[in-house]
Amino acid sequence: MTVFEASTRPGETPPADAVAPRDSSADAPTSVARLNATIRDFVARWNTVWVEGEITSWNVRAGNIFARLKDTRSDAQISIRIWSSVRPRIPGDLGVGDHVVAAVKADYFVKAGDFSFAVSAMKHVGLGDQLEKLEKLRIQLRQEGLFDPSRKKRLPFLPHVIGLITGERSDAEKDVHRNAELRWPQVRFRTEYAAVQGDRCVPETLAALARLDADPEVDVIVIARGGGDPQTLLGFSDERLVRAVAAARTPVVSAIGHENDHPLLDDVADLRASTPTDAAKRVVPDVSEQRAVIAQLRSRATSRLTQRLSHDIAQLEQLRSRPALRSPDPIIDSRAQELWLLQARGRDSISRQLDGAGRATSELRASLRALSPAATLARGYAIAHLEGGVILRDAADAPAGSALTITVDRGSIAARSEGEIDEASTPASD
């Protein structure tokens, strides 16, 4: 504390530092330093108070934070200072727009005459209750199986059209477009803009998701937003949005915030990307990598084919080097003599068989002729037939008057029986 001592003589005007503010007058004013010191000493006796408000400015200088806190129901504001020694004890995601409560103590800066409040503690308003509700919802959705890896859909290798849900003219949109086009220049997007925080976040995101999911050309949907404090990311943990993403027919990629941000959308989405940039890298392949893979496959195929051809050529040369293929004429010549001998033996064998068969046929023909009735008729014999062609063998079978047919060597004659002739009266033949 600065001590001001009076050094006056009787009848002289005291110096300004020697005049207390309450004793000042036009003839004996107090000094600015004395006034500021008095105000500081007065303010220093105030106790720490907890105050609620909205952060309207947030500037970091030399490790300290200089900010302003606005009343939530009026335009009243205060200046606050957060020294570097206090920053480790407050949330690291605080920023403009956050609704907070802070433990502040009045502080008057004598040198500049500035009045502000030093912050010793600060936290989000109501975030603890919201986080508790989110954890309960997380447990419920997990029990329902919405986080089960088996229900997650696989992303296409190369999507024809990528659906993108993000804030209009946002850094997330630029990151996704730039990185995806760097990896695959021909990639196409269908972008649906939606509020990424606040009361409009959930309904606009739901409407955008429905439009993209109904588009048959869209192969994958990316929901992207830059980083933010947990309060601003609450919309992406809304139960309506989470269930809509789970029910979507098109694969959905969650690219919300940074690596440490973890809304419920990350758990139910078919793929979680740590950042919008990471989403772009995981949704489309890298054309240079794919070209390298193709070149490698071509090289392997060429190598395999070359090896196979070399192996087959070596085998063919080995076969051609064998005597049978290298000089086949001696083998053919040696076999030609053997073939000629076999042909001669075959002709002789067939001739002998034909001659034997001819003699046997002649003998059979002679035997057949000897047994033939025609041969008997040729020697002067005749055959008598009764009516109906029955050969007459017994004279008793041709009584007198029976019609007969007599067959001789050349032709047949008709005759009629005179009856059986008695053998005793028959003249003997010479």
Side-chain angles (χ1 to χ4, degrees), residues 31-42:
S31 67
V32 173
R34 183 69 182 266
L35 175 61
N36 282 353
T38 302
I39 295 173
R40 180 198 61 194
D41 295 342
F42 175 75

Side-chain angles (χ1 to χ4, degrees), residues 223-261:
I223 303 177
R225 184 202 189 281
D229 60 85
Q231 189 78 21
T232 59
L233 299 181
L234 286 176
F236 298 99
S237 293
D238 187 271
E239 184 175 1
R240 294 170 295 170
L241 178 58
V242 170
R243 292 190 180 276
V245 169
R249 295 173 298 175
T250 308
V252 178
V253 178
S254 174
I256 305 301
H258 301 301
E259 180 68 33
N260 295 330
D261 299 322

